[in-house]
């Protein structure tokens, strides 16, 4: 670890006249694990991606050397060999990074053929092995799945498998465990450690998860507003941070601040079941399709001001349940909001009924970039719901509501919001995009919000702000939340009641204290133990 594999010296990055990173310097040796830490917009991702010159609009100065070769002076052919072959990337948002019209297997096969010269059969076998190694069950079947057919965690694992397939020397991991539950996080971290020992793999980790940094990284680099404020060995920096900004990050953790739920049933789910069609093998598949049960029949009630936490491993059926509650996927059973239920009105009144119900129940999706239109400005995205549900508002009133919503979720720049309204989603960091998605959901003042991993893309300080915001709104307007997450800390901070799901069914349900203090299921106990071990 004495000779740097990757050496960054006085790196400055600018977009037009605006400098976003100022003279950052760090090194990465073979077998070393370096974490870039900081809040959203601090310059972590652009610094790391500049090591591959992946940001075309950026003006780079300084020096970036890989094995002694200057990356900033490489030609197109040298960069092609460097990208994927010698330095691989795990992107933060797999749904947008994976090609939606190609199966995940085809994308891994393409990478293997390009960089290792394998034929299609050999590449497919190695792709299946790569998927198995990152913990995807039934890899021989999943390899022919398209990205939208996989859960968020499964897509992230497929992205990791693709990055590691060509045995790179450096892995840039941009929030690699964001979409993963704690048990799979352990598997991925153990896998990366094993690869580091076997091959001398160096890992440049971009993350806001300080528990991940403590458990995984050898060194830490802390960035604030594009400036490297502190760096050093992980244990020393985490135990005794010197810079005030680092101290703020280290001391940040979700805190519980929720009011008691009211009585009465705002949302009733009775016998909700979700099945997806799947092709049958052989000639039978010519005439009919089989089915895969994503959610076994379940029932629950949600009161005003109550948060129902839905936890479980990736692929357990959590998101399918959320989509059924939103009437965004076909489901059996009854989902009733107050006295109305989906599909209850006749054909003439169904559109008006659905419009009314969709104002009352909103959603924040897991992948903010894929759920935000790339062709609309932030003002248009956040204000779109007002055009449908409050069409009588004047343009000035609509803009005021948009600005207030963005301020509520903590999105501003130099204490100004009006400068952000004309920007597009790709001009924001992952955490900023998630805050925009939350503002879009809350602006129409719903009664129920389905939160699908609402803080998974947020750094720890912003996570605190968002959880506090959600708690304050819940207390003021008696909002009810359906919180889908794998983060036990978020469940502790937000939930009143909990559903634990495994393999499409509910294995346990009850109050927060019952589930976390005296779990009855072995599976629930293993989830809690994994979370505690991860935090430690």
């Amino acid at each position: 670890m004495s000779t740097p594999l990757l050496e960054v010296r006085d790196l400055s990055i600018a977009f037009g006249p605006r400098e976003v990173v100022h003279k950052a310097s760090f090194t990465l040796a073979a077998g070393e694990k370096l974490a870039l830490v900081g809040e959203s917009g601090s310059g972590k991702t652009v610094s790391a991606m500049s090591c591959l010159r992946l940001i075309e609009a950026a003006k780079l100065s300084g020096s970036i050397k890989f094995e002694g070769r200057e990356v900033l002076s490489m030609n197109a052919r040298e960069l092609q060999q460097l990208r994927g072959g010698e330095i691989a990337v795990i992107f933060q948002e797999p749904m947008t990074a994976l090609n939606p019209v190609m199966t995940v297997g085809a994308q891994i096969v393409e990478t293997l053929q390009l960089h290792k010269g394998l034929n299609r059969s050999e590449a497919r076998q190695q792709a299946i092995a790569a998927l198995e190694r990152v913990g995807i069950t039934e890899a021989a079947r999943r390899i022919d799945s398209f990205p939208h057919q996989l859960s968020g965690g499964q897509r992230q694992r497929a992205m990791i498998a693709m990055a590691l397939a060509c045995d790179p020397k450096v892995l840039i991991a941009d929030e690699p465990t964001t979409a993963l539950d704690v048990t799979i996080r352990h598997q991925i971290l153990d896998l990366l450690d094993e690869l580091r020992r076997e091959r001398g793999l160096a890992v440049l980790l971009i993350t806001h998860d300080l528990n991940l940094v403590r458990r995984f990284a050898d060194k830490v680099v802390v960035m604030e507003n594009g400036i490297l404020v502190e760096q050093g060995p992980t244990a020393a920096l985490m135990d005794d941070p010197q810079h005030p900004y680092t101290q703020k990050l280290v001391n940040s953790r979700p805190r519980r601040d929720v009011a008691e739920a009211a009585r009465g049933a705002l949302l009733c789910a009775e016998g909700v079941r979700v099945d997806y069609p799947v092709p049958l093998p052989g000639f039978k598949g010519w005439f009919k399709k089989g089915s895969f049960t994503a959610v076994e029949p379940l029932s629950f009630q949600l009161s005003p001001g109550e948060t129902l936490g839905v936890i479980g491993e990736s692929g357990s059926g959590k998101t399918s349940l959320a989509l059924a509650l939103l009437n965004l996927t076909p489901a059996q059973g009854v989902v009733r909001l107050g006295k109305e239920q989906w599909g209850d009105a006749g054909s003439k009144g169904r559109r008006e009924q659905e419009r009314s119900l969709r104002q009352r129940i909103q959603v924040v999706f897991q992948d903010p970039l894929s759920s935000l239109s790339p062709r609309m400005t932030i003002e248009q995205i956040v204000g779109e719901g007002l055009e449908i549900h409050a069409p009588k508002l004047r343009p000035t009133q609509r803009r005021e509501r948009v600005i207030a919503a963005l301020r509520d979720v903590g999105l501003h720049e130099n204490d100004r919001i009006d400068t952000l309204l004309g920007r597009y989603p790709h001009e924001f960091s992952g955490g900023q995009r998630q805050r925009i998605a939350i503002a879009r959901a809350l602006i129409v003042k719903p009664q129920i919000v389905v939160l699908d991993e609402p803080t998974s893309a947020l750094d720890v300080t912003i996570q605190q702000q968002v959880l506090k915001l959600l708690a304050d709104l819940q207390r003021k307007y008696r909002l009810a939340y359906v919180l889908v997450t794998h983060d036990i800390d978020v469940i502790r901070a937000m939930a009143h009641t909990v559903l634990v799901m495994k393999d499409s069914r509910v294995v346990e349900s009850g109050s927060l204290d019952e589930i976390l203090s005296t779990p009855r299921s072995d599976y629930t106990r293993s989830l809690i133990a994994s979370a505690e071990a991860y935090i430690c």
Side-chain angles (χ1 to χ4, degrees), residues 318-366:
K318 305 187 304 294
T319 298
S320 293
L321 171 61
L323 294 177
L325 298 178
L326 292 158
N327 197 34
L328 294 179
T329 193
Q332 302 175 36
V334 175
V335 177
R336 185 180 297 108
L337 284 75
K339 296 181 179 180
E340 295 183 286
Q341 68 183 56
W342 292 113
D344 193 30
S347 58
K348 291 184 178 179
R350 184 167 297 176
R351 179 175 297 180
E352 290 300 321
Q353 182 209 44
E354 287 198 356
R355 181 179 298 178
S356 172
L357 289 175
R358 293 200 185 283
Q359 180 178 5
R360 295 170 61 188
I361 181 168
Q362 288 286 306
V363 60
V364 176
F365 292 102
Q366 180 175 350

Side-chain angles (χ1 to χ4, degrees), residues 157-356:
R157 282 176 274 170
M159 174 70 68
I160 294 171
M162 186 185 306
L164 298 177
C166 294
D167 301 325
K169 296 177 181 177
V170 174
L171 178 66
I172 297 175
D174 189 358
E175 303 286 3
T177 60
T178 290
L180 305 181
D181 51 78
V182 288
T183 54
I184 301 302
R185 287 183 190 182
H186 282 295
Q187 294 178 21
I188 296 301
L189 295 180
D190 291 342
L191 169 64
L192 293 178
D193 261 337
E194 182 182 345
L195 291 169
R196 180 186 63 84
R197 291 191 298 268
E198 290 178 357
R199 311 175 191 177
L201 177 72
V203 181
L204 179 57
L205 176 68
I206 307 165
T207 186
H208 60 260
D209 188 341
L210 297 184
N211 293 319
L212 173 61
V213 172
R214 288 187 181 96
R215 189 181 186 278
F216 184 74
D218 300 315
K219 295 194 309 185
V220 183
V221 171
V222 182
M223 298 188 70
E224 180 188 20
N225 296 327
I227 299 173
L228 197 159
V229 297
E230 190 170 359
Q231 64 176 308
T234 301
L237 189 142
M238 290 295 178
D239 292 339
D240 186 24
Q242 300 299 306
H243 194 276
Y245 178 72
T246 310
Q247 294 170 0
K248 183 179 75 168
L249 291 180
V250 170
N251 294 326
S252 296
R253 192 174 179 182
R255 299 186 182 96
R256 185 171 179 81
D257 179 25
V258 296
E260 291 187 8
R263 294 184 179 181
L266 179 61
L267 173 69
C268 292
E270 300 172 2
V272 175
R273 173 180 176 140
V274 179
D275 295 310
Y276 293 121
V278 295
L280 292 174
F283 72 91
K284 291 182 179 179
W286 299 355
F287 305 101
K288 64 178 182 179
K289 290 186 176 182
S291 65
F292 167 74
T293 300
V295 178
E296 297 280 0
L298 59 81
S299 302
F300 64 85
Q301 291 187 351
L302 187 66
S303 301
E306 181 183 6
T307 298
L308 171 68
V310 184
I311 59 173
E313 294 179 325
S314 177
S316 62
K318 305 187 304 294
T319 298
S320 293
L321 171 61
L323 294 177
L325 298 178
L326 292 158
N327 197 34
L328 294 179
T329 193
Q332 302 175 36
V334 175
V335 177
R336 185 180 297 108
L337 284 75
K339 296 181 179 180
E340 295 183 286
Q341 68 183 56
W342 292 113
D344 193 30
S347 58
K348 291 184 178 179
R350 184 167 297 176
R351 179 175 297 180
E352 290 300 321
Q353 182 209 44
E354 287 198 356
R355 181 179 298 178
S356 172

Side-chain angles (χ1 to χ4, degrees), residues 407-478:
R407 184 177 290 111
D408 280 342
V409 297
L411 189 67
H412 57 80
E413 184 177 66
N414 298 325
D415 295 324
R416 294 188 61 185
I417 295 178
D418 56 318
T419 59
L420 307 178
L421 298 180
R423 294 189 189 177
Y424 293 85
H426 71 274
E427 298 179 85
F428 294 85
S429 68
Q432 290 170 325
R433 286 193 289 264
Q434 189 68 299
R435 281 177 272 168
I436 292 166
I438 294 171
R440 177 180 62 175
L442 297 178
I443 197 169
V444 296
K445 299 181 179 179
Q447 294 175 303
I448 304 167
V449 180
V450 176
L451 304 167
D452 189 0
E453 303 286 1
T455 59
S456 63
L458 304 181
D459 52 75
V460 287
T461 56
I462 300 302
Q463 185 182 80
Q464 276 190 333
Q465 294 176 22
V466 170
L467 293 179
K468 185 179 184 306
L469 166 67
L470 293 172
D472 290 343
L473 290 168
Q474 184 176 57
R475 186 179 294 107
K476 183 175 181 180
Y477 299 111
R478 308 308 295 166

